[in-house]
Amino acid sequence: MINLPRSLIRLGAQASSKQAAIEQVASLLAGAGNVDPAYLGGMLAREGQANTYLGSGIAIPHGTPDTRHLIRQTGIAVLQLPQGVAWGEGGETVRLVVGIAAASDEHLDILRRLTRVLADDALVEQLSTTADPALVQRALTGEATAEESAAPTSGPDLPFSAQVTLPNPLGMHARPGTMLANLVRRLGGRVRVEHGGQSADALRLMELLSLGLKRGSVLTVRADSEAALVAVTDAIRAGLGDDLILAAPAAPVRREADWRPTQVGATIEGVPASDGLVIGQTRVYRPAELHVTDQPGEAAAQAQALDDALNAAAAELDGLIEQQAQAGHADRAAIFRAHRELLTDESTVQDAVNLVLDGHGAAWAYQRASGERIAQLQKLDDPTLAARATDLGDVQRRVLRRLLGLGEDHLEGTAPAILLAPDLTPSDTARFSEGSLLGFVTAQGGPTSHTAIIARGLGLPAVVAAGTGLLDVPDGTPAILDGQAGALYLNPSAADVQAARARQETLRAELDRARADRHRPGATRDGARVEIAANINRAAAAPGALDAGAEGVGLMRTEFLFLERDSVPTEDEQEREYRAMAEALGERTLIIRTLDIGGDKDVPYLGLEREDNSFLGLRGIRLCFERPDLFLPQLRAIVRVARDHPNVHVMFPMISTLEDFRRARALLDDVRAELDAPRIPLGVMIEVPSAALLAPQLAPQVDFFSVGTNDLTQYTLAMDRLHPQLARQTDAMHPAVLQLVALTVRAAEAHGKWVGVCGGAAGDEVGALILTGLGVKELSVSAPQIPAVKAALRQHDLATLRDLAERALAQPDAASVRALARTLSAGEVRA
């Protein structure tokens, strides 16, 4: 709500001309510190471009867009002219002048109230003649505001700055941008992000996306307080909600097809976006064109129409978010949350409102303002960021449909078909119901777009960027769509259709076997057991992991209980989450890793001191020692669950010395004694080279080891795994890393203990084979990787894998290790 102090209300004034009236209202704004005196020139220039008369004797003069930098603080001033003044060429007489200095969209509420005022002739008359400023305050702000004696607020000054490197694999796309905007909004401060000579307000998602920030981009963050600067830079380092440990989900790449027809009428090739092979008929989907013409009306009414459309679109998106979240599709819900932020982007809304105030219609104004942002995104060099233009286009279409009174486009026909379209928005794709489509091909788009991600989640074969000729294919054309090859085959011969059906049966049989085998115990071909567990963050993910074939949870990342909220979870809240996980697993092992905050996983609300080398500072167990207020409640929550569930194991992260382990174990023992709990199986993470070298001393004191190959690799090779130039070289298959794993295994075996791996190497097929050959007994991976890892192990005998691992230790580099592993396909390992 804009504050309207009485000092900005002048009653009973006189003005000899419109210019004189504008000069008076501009003087009020300047005198209160809302604007620079030069803002008057913008107000007069705007009046020369368009009449700001609203109707019923009310005018709303305001500045031009190029004078917005002269606004120090959003505000309004009211000039009452009981005798009236001529306004415009239509003979209008104005008795109430509402001067607007709009630095944001806060003044929209004023416009909504003016709409109601205009509809009430008696109120208009009263406001034009009253001697009571409180009446004007109530009419325009909803309450009478006390006179402000404080000095006017100065303009945004951002004296604190720092540089930070963006770690996100896909750059600053909509989802992390949304999280950044929400963080700044909660902080209540002013923050700007600068890169490449350009600057963006952190609250304005479109400005932020238009910077085209990629992984490795060095940003300058400026803030109005040191606290805000630290919170924002820490959040950026932490990835703003993106998972920086796992690689971004890669889109399918074009590869040699396992099957290809021999006689077709035509072949349309594009970029693979989602695997699958289907046979059917085509149907072209052309979204109805939105014909937007400029239909000016009263500015207040047009502003109200825009506000109504934005609110309706927001309600639609809220419904979609809830629907996708309830269905367990967190990734899709996150996409529509980003759309929600795009919808309320301040700069877009403000520009649209300014166009409305210039005399343009609401639909034309919104299309123009949002269209400029879409064009900016399309020009970005990075294809992933440029693909976000589709997301904004989706939001634009949602609002324009409301403004034009149109319903949604219809996607579904009478029978499932292969859909051909210019492009598909995430909203289009999310409306696909099961069985309504066989697959789709688009003329535009990219494999990393949100639409492609949703398609893969739905299991629909999809091809994108196939060219505009695609849309000339007649409806009902027989076709075969091969998502793996990125090809649409038109008018195939009867023999090709028969061959495609045979190929479908083969693929279906392979998938069925894989699904049928996913619950078989993990083992090599000759029966050597290797437990295949899952890495998960929350109890809600446990059923999906078990369905994928997980034999337990090898890593529960408890820090996500802290990362996904704005305050520290209580002991009771943590206990409920751990208990739900333990109960979901039954007798299967649950390894709970204690809080691993720091490094690439910062939590802004904890107020931790910023470190230049966070990976070498207070993280993992070191932070827990410094913050017993976090560590002890977590230990109590775990022990309370372990009393009832013997499947619970505890694992300490970032152990680098014997003293680290003994100190952590002593704290756990104290909590067990306090709660009268039995002994709990206890392990440590091998993430630091010193821990691997100390494994012979640690092994007698622990129950198991779990190797975190992501951190162990970066610490061994002295390469930051988030560094844009070095990340690809931080390969856990490097012989130096494998030597440390082998040392750990030998130490464990000497004392009858077992070793697991919960880092990224466990889910890599080559890594799974070599780690098993080294003697690792448990591989904990992301749930979707479980069937493939099990299948890979079942193809080889343990003796072969031991020979492979032994030879891998003697290789000069990771590339040589991977080349050696590829010889397994020939059934042998060569030196």
Side-chain angles (χ1 to χ4, degrees), residues 9 29 76 89 179 202-203 215 301 383 485 567 579 610 682 732 784 805:
I9 301 173
L29 289 168
I76 62 171
E89 299 177 358
M179 180 166 283
L203 285 174
R215 181 174 187 172
S567 59
R579 188 174 297 279
R610 202 175 81 197
L682 181 60

Side-chain angles (χ1 to χ4, degrees), residues 347-429:
S347 61
T348 305
V349 174
Q350 182 175 330
D351 283 357
V353 170
N354 286 335
L355 289 169
V356 167
L357 297 179
D358 279 343
H360 296 288
W364 186 92
Y366 185 77
Q367 185 185 55
R368 176 74 174 271
S370 55
E372 289 176 353
R373 272 76 179 176
I374 292 171
Q376 290 171 4
L377 289 177
Q378 289 171 334
K379 292 176 183 177
L380 295 178
D381 293 333
D382 188 288
T384 300
L385 297 176
R388 299 292 85 85
T390 301
D391 292 289
L392 183 54
D394 194 354
V395 173
Q396 180 197 62
R397 190 174 182 85
R398 188 180 296 278
V399 176
L400 290 178
R401 281 203 325 268
R402 287 286 181 172
L403 286 169
L404 299 174
L406 302 176
E408 290 186 344
D409 298 305
H410 294 288
L411 287 171
E412 301 179 10
T414 56
I418 299 171
L419 198 70
L420 314 182
D423 202 356
L424 291 171
T425 68
S427 295
D428 291 334
T429 318

Side-chain angles (χ1 to χ4, degrees), residues 506-568:
T506 300
L507 291 173
R508 190 174 294 115
E510 290 176 356
L511 289 173
D512 288 345
R513 282 197 297 273
R515 183 169 180 80
D517 289 344
R518 74 190 189 281
H519 292 305
R520 287 175 55 188
T524 60
R525 183 166 55 192
D526 54 341
R529 279 284 285 122
V530 182
E531 183 174 304
I532 310 301
N535 297 335
I536 57 180
N537 305 330
R538 303 297 294 264
L546 294 177
D547 185 63
E551 300 176 72
V553 169
L555 170 62
M556 181 185 182
R557 302 186 184 99
T558 61
E559 58 271 13
F560 279 84
L561 291 173
F562 294 72
L563 291 170
E564 296 174 352
R565 52 187 294 143
D566 300 324
S567 59
V568 177

Side-chain angles (χ1 to χ4, degrees), residues 47-73:
E47 206 64 40
Q49 298 168 4
N51 188 354
T52 60
Y53 180 72
L54 276 183
S56 299
I58 300 177
I60 51 170
H62 51 282
T64 56
D66 60 355
T67 57
R68 197 174 300 148
H69 66 284
L70 299 173
I71 299 172
R72 294 171 178 164
Q73 183 181 12

